[in-house]
Amino acid sequence: MTVRKYFRQGRASPFEYTWPAGRGIPGWVLQHKVPYGTSDAAHDPVMQHDLPINVDVRSIICTPILSSFGEVLGYFDIRNKQDAEGFTVADQDMLMALAPAASIAIQNALAYQQRLSAETELQESYERLRALAANLEVVREEERTQIARELHDQLGQALTAMKFDLAWLTNRIVDKDEALGQRAKAVTTQMDTMIKTVRRIATELRPGMLDDLGLAASIEWLAHDFEKRTGIICLTTVTVPDVPLPRAPSLTLFRILQEALTNVARHANAQLIEVRLDATPETVTLQVHDDGRGIQAGEAAGLHSLGLLGMRERAQRLGGTFDIRGVPGDGTIVTVIIPVKSN
Amino acid sequence: MTVRKYFRQGRASPFEYTWPAGRGIPGWVLQHKVPYGTSDAAHDPVMQHDLPINVDVRSIICTPILSSFGEVLGYFDIRNKQDAEGFTVADQDMLMALAPAASIAIQNALAYQQRLSAETELQESYERLRALAANLEVVREEERTQIARELHDQLGQALTAMKFDLAWLTNRIVDKDEALGQRAKAVTTQMDTMIKTVRRIATELRPGMLDDLGLAASIEWLAHDFEKRTGIICLTTVTVPDVPLPRAPSLTLFRILQEALTNVARHANAQLIEVRLDATPETVTLQVHDDGRGIQAGEAAGLHSLGLLGMRERAQRLGGTFDIRGVPGDGTIVTVIIPVKSN
C-alpha cells in the first residue's frame, strides 16, 4: 500500500511511503483489515517511531477503507484527539461509517484512471489507423500515377510511333497493291482505337488535366463525362475560373466530386445535378446539389457509408470540412470546403 | 434534481421523482444548499405529504451533497430516529461530514460515465475507420483487377490480333518488296514488345497467377522476381505445395509478402531471405526471415510504420495474426498466420 499524499485538515501534503503488510499501524490495518487505535502512542509496539510524521503523537486511530472485494484501498488515520485521553468507539464508528463513501470514491477514481488510459490508448490506435487510411490513398494515387505514366510513356508513345511507321508503310503498299494497302489501312485504324483506349485508361487513372488545365476545367470535364455516361444532366458553375491550387487540394476535390457523382447515380434517383466551385483567397468550396430523393439524416450520419466517411476523411486531411444534408423534395447537397494557404 | 433510487438500510429501491427547486424538503435543500430538519414532520409545511414515501414519517433530516463548484449533486435524507425525539446537531454534523466523500464518489461516477461514453464513441469511430481502411484496399484491388482486365481484354487481345494481321501483311509484302517487308517485320517485333509490356503491367496489377497457379507457385514467382530485381537471394520453402485457398486469404498473403519483401529491400540491409509457406488443415502460415540488421522492438511496435500497420490490419481482417520480431545478428522474422475455414 503506497501513500503519496497526506491530508491534514483538508489540505494535502506530499508524503511518499509504501507500507508493506504488517509494517507500522497502516501496515497492521492493511494486514488485519480492522481498525487499530491506541491512547499511548509513545509506547505502542506497532507504531513506527522513526517516521518523522509520527513525532509528538499521543493518541491515534486508524481504520481501513475496503473495496467491494474486501481489499484495503486506503485508511483513515486520525491523531491527537483534542480535549480527551484518546479516541472512543463512537469515533471509530464514525470513521467506519465514512469508509464506504470513501471506498466508492477511490474505486471510481481508479476506474476513471483506467478509462482514461484505455481512451488514450484507443485514441492513439485511432490516429495510427487514420494515418494508415490516408497513406492507403496516397499510395493508391501514386500507383495510379505510375501506371498512367507507364501506359502513356511505354504504350501510348510506342503505339503512336508504330502508327506513323504503319502509315508510311501503308502509303507505299497502296502504290504497289491497292487491296493489300486497304488491309494495312485497316490495321492503322485499329491502332488509332488502341491509342485512344490507352489514353482513356490513363486519364481515368490519373486526371492529368488537373496539372494541364487546372481544377475548374477538370471539374467541367468530369461533369460532362458523367452526363454522357449516366444521362443525368450535370450543370457546372465555376465562379472563379482559374483557381490556382496545388495538386493535393485539386486532387482531393476532384476525387470527392467523382465519389459524390457516383453516389448520386447509385442512390439519389436524380435527374439534375448542379456542381458549383467557388473560391475566396482563404478557401475553395465545392458544392454538389442533386434533385433526387434527399439523403436521410441517418444515412448522412455516415455510420454505414464508407464512401461518405472516405470523403470526409479526405477533406479533413487537408484541414477542410465535409457536409452532406438531404432535404426531402429538394435533393441532397454535398459541401466541401478546403482551406487554401495564402502565399 | 432527479432521484432514481432510494437507499433504505443499504438496499436500493426504485424511486423515480424529480424535485424542482423549492418543492418538498429535497427541493428546499436543493434551493438553499443547507440542511433542513424537523422533529414534527406531520405538521411541517415544506414536507410533501402526498408522496407515499412520506407516510408515517415523524422526524427527518436532509443534508445537501455539494460538488466542488457548489452545486447540489444529491442529498442525505434520514428518517425516524429511533429512541429519540428527533435528530440532533451532532447527527447533522455527521451527515455533513459524510457529504464530501459522497460528493467525490458522485463526481467520479459522473466523470466515469462521461469517459465511458467518450470511449464508446471513439470505439465506434475506430471501427468505422477500420472498415474504411479495409474498404480502401478492397476498392484498390477491384480497381487493379478492372484495369488489368481492360489491359488484357481491350489492349492485349487487340494487339495480338493486330500482330497476326501484321504478320500476314508482312509475308505478302516481302514477296513484293524485300526492303518494305523488313520494315514491316520491324513493326511486328515492336508489337511483340508492346504485348509483353501490357502483360507485365497487368500482372503487376493483379497476380492472375493466384487463380491459375495457386498461392505456392505465385509466392515462388514473387520471390524469384524479387531476387532478379534486387540481387537479394530469396529462397522459398513450401511444405504443402498445393494449398487450396480462396482468393481473399491468397491475395492477403501475397500482398503481405510483397510488402515484407519491399521492407527488407528498403531497411534490412540483408543478403538472404528465406520464405516459408506452411499449412495445417486449420491455418496457413507465411514466414519471411531475412539476415539483415534485425528490426528494433520500438520499430516493430509499429507506431510509425504504416506498412507494418497495414500488414497487421490485412491479417486481422481475415481473423489472422501478424508478428514481426528482430534478433540482432539474426535478422528479422515476419510471421503471418491466417485461419482457413475447413469445409
Side-chain angles (χ1 to χ4, degrees), chain B residues 301-328:
Chain B
L303 285 169
H304 302 295
S305 166
L306 296 175
L308 295 184
L309 184 57
M311 288 195 266
R312 173 165 289 130
E313 282 290 319
R314 279 197 109 120
Q316 286 181 348
R317 232 167 271 152
L318 296 177
T321 60
F322 173 88
D323 180 69
I324 183 165
R325 55 190 65 199
V327 183

Side-chain angles (χ1 to χ4, degrees), chain B residues 231-242:
Chain B
I232 303 169
I233 296 163
C234 196
L235 305 174
T236 54
T237 311
V238 175
T239 59
V240 186
D242 51 347

Side-chain angles (χ1 to χ4, degrees), chain A residues 82-103:
Chain A
Q82 294 196 325
D83 314 323
E85 256 315 282
F87 295 94
T88 62
V89 173
D91 292 329
Q92 184 179 302
D93 286 350
M94 162 95 175
L95 283 176
M96 291 302 280
L98 270 168
S103 171

Side-chain angles (χ1 to χ4, degrees), chain A residues 105 108 115 119 143-144 150, chain B residues 105 108 115 119 143-144:
Chain A
N108 277 348
R115 278 293 141 209
E119 197 190 316
E143 187 181 70
R144 283 166 157 168
E150 273 192 289
Chain B
N108 278 348
R115 277 296 140 207
E119 198 189 316
E143 187 181 69
R144 284 165 156 168

Side-chain angles (χ1 to χ4, degrees), chain A residues 133 306 309-310 313, chain B residues 127-137:
Chain A
L306 297 174
L309 184 56
E313 283 290 319
Chain B
E127 296 305 334
R128 283 208 299 278
L129 201 53
R130 192 163 205 176
L132 174 68
N135 185 252
L136 285 175
E137 280 193 296

